[in-house]
Amino acid sequence: MSAAPAVAAARRGLRWMRWYVRELTGESAYERYVAHVRQHAPDAPVPGRREFERQRAAAREGDPRSGFRCC
């Protein structure tokens, strides 16, 4: 009996879990943003990840409809 199907299933599960956690935490948002900018405006400068996160947080906190504000 081969363990290959069980190993393949475990790898699929781990890949799915990694994808899910990255989507849930917003970790993959920067990669999607860079791909979008490269596709629609290839010559436009792309901000670094730190600047992207700063802008993203400012947009979330500045929008009263988002419900993100703590105070």
Side-chain angles (χ1 to χ4, degrees), residues 51-68:
E51 180 60 28
F52 169 77
E53 291 298 339
R54 247 186 246 123
Q55 292 173 359
R56 188 171 166 221
R60 265 196 326 254
E61 292 173 1
D63 186 3
R65 296 173 296 171
S66 68
F68 179 73

Side-chain angles (χ1 to χ4, degrees), residues 18-35 49 52-53 56:
R18 180 179 183 270
W19 171 86
Y20 182 76
V21 169
R22 284 175 47 85
E23 291 295 321
L24 186 67
T25 61
E27 180 72 24
S28 60
Y30 181 69
E31 287 92 11
R32 281 195 308 269
Y33 171 74
V34 170
R49 183 174 193 104
F52 169 77
E53 291 298 339
R56 188 171 166 221

